[in-house]
């Protein structure tokens, strides 16, 4: 419980930004704090319809969790994972996310691969019962990893016989986009949500200025590394400090896996933040570009557009893409360099 409140207070700080200046406005904010999708979520909305919109948003989050959870036995994902290769009728959300996962897998040269789930399980990241698999076991599991063999036809999804999927790499970004859509439908023009530290801003602050969102320092996760000023955008981070264990060999092993070898991705980056209007895209890419590494991430940014990046390398340098110039404030002692088009 103590941890719950500690986390909440961090989130509250994150979300209020300049708490002193907005104190009078905050009085009119309505908020909800929930635990869902294995994480703490804080939602805050302003305006007349805020309460009703927040209630709808919480229901929608619970609905998405019920569909996509890998642990709830009746979810679409559990049904799919037990399907032994037979086609399964799934919810529209589930089919939409799987088709997007395939799209972002293709966009990133296979760095995003939702069929890694058996490998993620083997490392113990789903249960907390951590284990360093040997190379033979990883090779065996990797023989069934291939997102491009998943097929989606409307709301019918078929996995290859021994494949299992997990949408943890992109579900929260999708959820925050869905919350944003509900707020807009309900006439909420100013809101901000944090789903386990992944932030989605709806409109700007009630006073019309941009939201100021902090991004953690991956080398000191209790500390801010930078502040970005945004409106109507998601700020989504994948980092090696978010979920990891220390093995008996003294090394850290984290939850983002490289489909190339089944080991935690170690391609020079310790955190990747993706900023853009499409939360699903930001979440899918934060995980994929963490795997891809700095040069590939920059190339994909140049080629695709529609998002901005903040990358932190394992030798403690920060790189941010050109579109963030004027909206990015480095508050760390690391040097920060711009990635140009
Ligand atoms: P995120 O925190 O958004 O970066 O997502 C990480 C989660 O996605 C992990 O906890 C795994 O469940 C899953 N995952 C890990 N590596 C990959 C990968 N390369 N492609 C797709 N999903 C992954
Ligand atoms: Mg992600």
């Amino acid at each position: 419980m103590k941890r719950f409140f500690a986390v909440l207070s961090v989130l509250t700080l994150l979300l209020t930004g300049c708490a002193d200046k907005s104190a009078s406005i905050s009085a009119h904010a309505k908020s909800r704090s929930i635990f869902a999708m294995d994480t703490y979520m804080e939602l805050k909305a302003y305006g007349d319809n805020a309460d009703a919109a927040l209630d709808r948003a919480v229901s929608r989050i619970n609905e998405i969790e019920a569909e996509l959870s890998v642990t709830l036995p009746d979810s679409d994902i559990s049904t799919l994972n037990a399907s032994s290769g037979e086609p399964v009728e799934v919810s529209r959300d589930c089919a939409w996310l799987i088709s997007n996962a395939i799209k972002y897998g293709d966009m990133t040269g296979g760095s995003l691969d939702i069929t890694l789930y058996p490998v993620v399980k083997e490392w113990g990241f789903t249960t907390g019962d951590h284990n360093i698999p040997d190379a033979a076991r990883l090779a065996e599991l990797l023989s069934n990893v291939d997102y491009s063999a998943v097929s989606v036809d409307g709301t019918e999804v078929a996995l290859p016989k021994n494949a299992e999927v997990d949408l943890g790499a992109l579900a929260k970004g999708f959820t925050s986009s869905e919350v944003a859509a509900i707020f807009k439908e309900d006439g909420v023009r100013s809101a901000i949500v944090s789903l386990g530290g992944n932030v989605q801003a709806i409109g700007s602050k009630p006073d019309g200025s941009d939201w100021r969102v902090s991004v953690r320092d991956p080398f000191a996760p209790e500390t801010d590394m930078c502040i970005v000023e945004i409106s109507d955008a998601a700020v989504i981070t994948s980092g090696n400090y978010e979920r990891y264990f220390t093995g008996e060999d003294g090394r850290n092993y984290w939850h983002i896996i490289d489909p190339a070898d089944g080991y935690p991705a170690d391609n020079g980056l310790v955190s990747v933040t993706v900023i853009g209007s499409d939360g699903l895209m930001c979440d899918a890419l934060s995980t994929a570009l963490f795997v891809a590494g700095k040069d590939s991430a920059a190339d994909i940014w140049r080629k695709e557009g529609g998002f901005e990046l903040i990358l932190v390398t394992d030798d403690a340098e920060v790189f941010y893409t050109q579109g963030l110039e004027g909206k990015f404030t480095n508050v760390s002692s690391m040097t920060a360099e711009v990635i140009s088009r």
Side-chain angles (χ1 to χ4, degrees):
M1 210 51 184
K2 211 160 138 196
R3 185 167 157 247
F4 177 78
F5 286 110
V7 173
L8 272 190
S9 67
V10 170
L11 290 179
T12 308
L13 274 177
L14 267 173
L15 295 185
T16 46
C18 303
D20 49 344
K21 272 193 248 155
S22 53
S24 58
I25 298 162
S26 298
H28 305 296
K30 297 287 166 42
S31 64
R32 301 285 185 280
S33 300
I34 60 167
F35 186 82
M37 301 183 179
D38 208 20
T39 199
Y40 295 95
M41 301 185 169
E42 181 146 314
L43 299 83
K44 192 161 157 181
Y46 296 85
D48 294 341
N49 290 331
D51 257 323
L54 283 162
D55 287 341
R56 282 225 296 150
V58 169
S59 308
R60 181 75 175 115
I61 292 170
N62 291 331
E63 176 183 51
I64 296 170
E65 177 171 32
E67 292 165 347
L68 304 183
S69 164
V70 280
T71 46
L72 296 174
D74 294 331
S75 73
D76 290 341
I77 294 296
S78 296
T79 309
L80 256 182
N81 287 346
S83 65
S84 307
E86 292 299 316
V88 171
E89 193 62 40
V90 297
S91 60
R92 283 173 52 198
D93 292 334
C94 182
W96 169 247
L97 275 174
I98 292 179
S99 50
N100 273 278
I102 296 169
K103 169 175 137 186
Y104 291 112
D106 288 344
M107 187 190 283
T108 59
S111 292
L112 187 78
D113 193 326
I114 52 170
T115 62
L116 273 171
Y117 183 49
V119 179
V120 173
K121 267 197 294 191
E122 186 70 19
W123 283 95
F125 288 114
T126 40
T127 56
D129 195 2
H130 298 129
N131 160 56
I132 304 174
D134 62 37
R137 178 71 182 137
L138 283 178
E140 185 189 333
L141 293 172
L142 282 173
S143 67
N144 293 312
V145 170
D146 179 9
Y147 74 93
S148 66
V150 176
S151 65
V152 183
D153 179 6
T155 50
E156 191 178 87
V157 178
L159 304 185
K161 201 156 188 313
N162 294 312
E164 289 182 63
V165 292
D166 127 57
L167 300 175
L170 63 170
K172 282 187 215 123
F174 165 70
T175 305
S176 67
S177 291
E178 289 296 290
V179 168
I182 287 174
F183 284 168
K184 287 200 173 136
E185 268 169 39
D186 283 5
V188 170
R189 296 213 306 269
S190 176
I192 191 153
V193 304
S194 168
L195 311 188
N198 292 322
V199 174
Q200 170 92 45
I202 290 89
S204 46
K205 289 207 294 198
D207 66 4
S209 63
D210 280 348
W211 295 100
R212 292 165 54 80
V213 177
S214 56
V215 179
R216 286 162 195 241
D217 181 339
F219 298 102
E222 299 305 313
T223 316
D224 294 344
M225 169 180 77
C226 64
I227 311 285
V228 280
E229 286 159 49
I230 52 147
S231 60
D232 272 319
V235 180
I236 296 193
T237 300
S238 289
N240 69 348
Y241 58 90
E242 289 179 322
R243 198 175 294 181
Y244 69 93
F245 68 94
T246 306
E248 281 175 7
D249 57 3
R251 297 182 55 171
N252 286 347
Y253 296 90
W254 47 87
H255 68 305
I256 301 172
I257 305 293
D258 192 335
D261 60 9
Y263 282 89
D266 196 9
N267 297 314
L269 294 176
V270 291
S271 96
V272 173
T273 300
V274 185
I275 298 153
S277 56
D278 180 350
L280 192 171
M281 178 198 225
C282 293
D283 200 0
L285 289 179
S286 69
T287 312
L289 301 182
F290 184 100
V291 173
K294 176 178 162 261
D295 293 344
S296 300
D299 286 346
I300 292 166
W301 170 73
R302 285 188 191 99
K303 182 159 172 254
E304 302 292 342
F307 62 93
E308 302 296 334
L309 293 173
I310 303 168
L311 310 176
V312 185
T313 61
D314 54 11
D315 53 3
E317 276 190 284
V318 184
F319 294 88
Y320 62 98
T321 51
Q322 211 173 350
L324 292 175
E325 273 181 309
K327 304 202 166 282
F328 172 97
T329 309
N330 183 11
V331 296
S332 76
S333 56
M334 295 184 273
T335 59
E337 230 178 86
V338 175
I339 299 175
S340 313
R341 289 236 161 255

